[in-house]
Amino acid sequence: MKEMIRTATCGDLQEKHLGTEVVLNGWVHRQRDHGGIKFIDLRDRYGITQVVVEPDSAAALLKTAAELRFEYCIAVKGLVRNRPKEMVNPQMPTGAIEVKVTDLVILSRSQVLPFMIEEKTPAKEDLRLKYRYLDLRSLSMQKNLFLRHQVAFAAREYLVNQGFYEIETPTFIKSTPEGARDFLVPCRLLPGKFYALPQSPQLYKQLLMVAGFDKYFQLAHCFRDEDARGDRQPEHTQIDMEMSFVSREDVFNVVEGLMRHIFKKALGRELEVPFERIAYDTAMDLYGTDKPDLRFELTLKDFNNPAAQSDFQVFKKIVEQNGAVKALVAPGCGHYSRKMIEDLEETAKTYGAKGLAWIKVTEQGLEGGVSKFFTEQSRSIIKHLSAKPGDLILLVGDTRKTACTALGAVRSKLGADLGLIKKHEFKFVWIIDFPLFEWNAEENKWDPAHHMFSMPQEQYLDSLEKDPGSVKGDLYDLVCNGVELASGSIRIHDPELQKRIFSIVGFSLEEAEIRFGFLLEAFKYGPPPHGGIAPGLDRLVMLLAREDTIREVIAFPKNTVGASPMDDCPSPVNQEQLKELHLKLIPPKED
RNA sequence: GGGGGCGUAGCGAAGUUUGGUUAUCGCGCCGGCCUGUCAAGCCGGAGAUCGCGGGUUCAAUCCCCGUCGCUCCCGCCA
């Protein structure tokens, strides 16, 4: 057998290689057999090169070439030559040349594939995941994972240059009571005890600050046992970071620089910094969400005054009871049919609205829907809302939060339906001034809005207990195109302040001692002021790749029920394993 | 826990509203022809318990009930 060691890849042959003898390895991507001459598109991760088997080749070569099928893994030796002038393919990076095959070896054969390897396969996701190793051969997945690699590398490069240390924290940690459901790992050596997989390295990175590693980062795997969505699955990766002796502004600076560097390196695109900032209350008021998509304008308007002055009892009552009536002007939607408006109403109802009232704006004034309650005010309403003839005014009245959220969802739908979204833009925004606590109506108590270690803003320090609902935290989210990309805060490093927070959320000192004793203990030994943030790597890459789900940028993702169709995970374990772990299964209830 | 969508050859879809002979199309697969294609082309062929179970009916891919799987969303996700 002759030497068939790869000397070039399928992406790098150019006209400068003309006349050289090369050996390529790769997969048969496509074949075009003309009876005499035969073309093979040979593919590897670097690209595709056309190799040609000519009819006057040796009989053995012709025989082997005839055996080739899709995705056979082969080696070819041949001469790089120009294609005939008319046959140059300008669509292909290697389209000026081809390789005339002098030798061909089948390294391995492939069965008939469950789906074709294409730029982007039309096969259903379930099937793609079952044969993920084939799916990953597609150009789109190759591109996405390369992009992910570039983003991860750029993140490391930037942070290391900023003086950050990359430090790993444990994967088996203590289960914490707040937040998402933990994934648990039973402990064989300590019967009845469990590790938890980290929802984030939160406590450990704070301890690293106590230890004096004042700039830390980690590409951390995080685990949350909650239902999946397009932008979340049971395990994800965060660019986790924490810094000592910093304010929110320092964190913003680092993250803006980080995003700039990533965009530059991965997309070759300049990002404008600093990013816009919007207070949480304002975001809810204008966009009805704490992760607004700013690629289109459309904002919610206050409608309390017209509602209070109208004879529309439903709205009047809502205003009297301290609720809110919000308005959204759908531009040019005055022609919407009953059915189309009902469609929007469904969206509003999904988010808790009881209904969606509407009014059409015409040259004459207000028409249809609930317009009869507002005839006297029509002129001032049109002015207040900056509405134009042909527009459709949509109204939701409810508690402030529900009215905003529901109409915000309608805003998002309209943005998509009306094609208002500027798809090629990346609109970053910091959401700041989050409330520190939120009222838990079911249990009649205050809950931490994020987590218990976030610092209240200074001006609220004296009045924490008096009016927890009004306290803003030193909390911030980074949002891009309607996706929550990162979440962080300045942390509490004062044990006394920490105790006050525990007490407000009804967390006894005993309980705190059991759960976070080690952190409170650490804070007795000169903890530095510190804060941090954690951009989600999967979501960031998803945005950069312009994909709709993070599963498109994860090599081996789980499906929406947290399973992997490829390896059939999770799977049952045998009795012996359970016994060693001191576990007994309780069959699921049937009812 | 709740709501919407989907399930028809290996893959992607049509057909189901209004039940009726042999379930249609493209890709792939098999065979043949073909010396410049690049989604090659042309000719021929094979391939389907219409997700599964039950019901209604002379007759069910189609209607009804149940069930399973996937997917999108609400809840949940500090």
Side-chain angles (χ1 to χ4, degrees), chain A residues 177-178 445 452 499 501-513 515-516:
Chain A
E178 293 290 318
K445 65 187 270 290
M452 289 184 274
K499 281 180 195 163
I501 302 289
F502 283 152
S503 143
I504 290 168
V505 300
F507 209 63
S508 72
L509 282 184
E510 293 72 32
E511 178 101 38
E513 201 54 49
R515 294 299 175 181
F516 312 114

Side-chain angles (χ1 to χ4, degrees), chain A residues 35-38 52-62 81 100-101:
Chain A
I37 196 165
K38 176 171 190 168
V52 187
V53 178
E54 301 244 346
D56 59 356
S57 303
L61 173 52
L62 291 175
R81 70 180 188 192
K100 177 185 153 58
V101 180

Side-chain angles (χ1 to χ4, degrees), chain A residues 359-368 371 374-375 378-379 382 387-391 393:
Chain A
I359 302 172
K360 290 181 177 177
V361 184
T362 66
E363 298 288 352
Q364 286 71 43
L366 302 179
E367 276 180 25
S371 63
F374 299 98
T375 30
S378 61
R379 194 165 297 209
I382 289 171
K388 295 182 188 63
D391 289 348
I393 299 171

Side-chain angles (χ1 to χ4, degrees), chain A residues 176-193:
Chain A
T176 52
E178 293 290 318
R181 203 174 288 115
D182 278 328
F183 278 106
L184 297 177
V185 179
C187 178
R188 176 178 56 85
L189 295 176
L190 299 167
K193 294 189 174 176

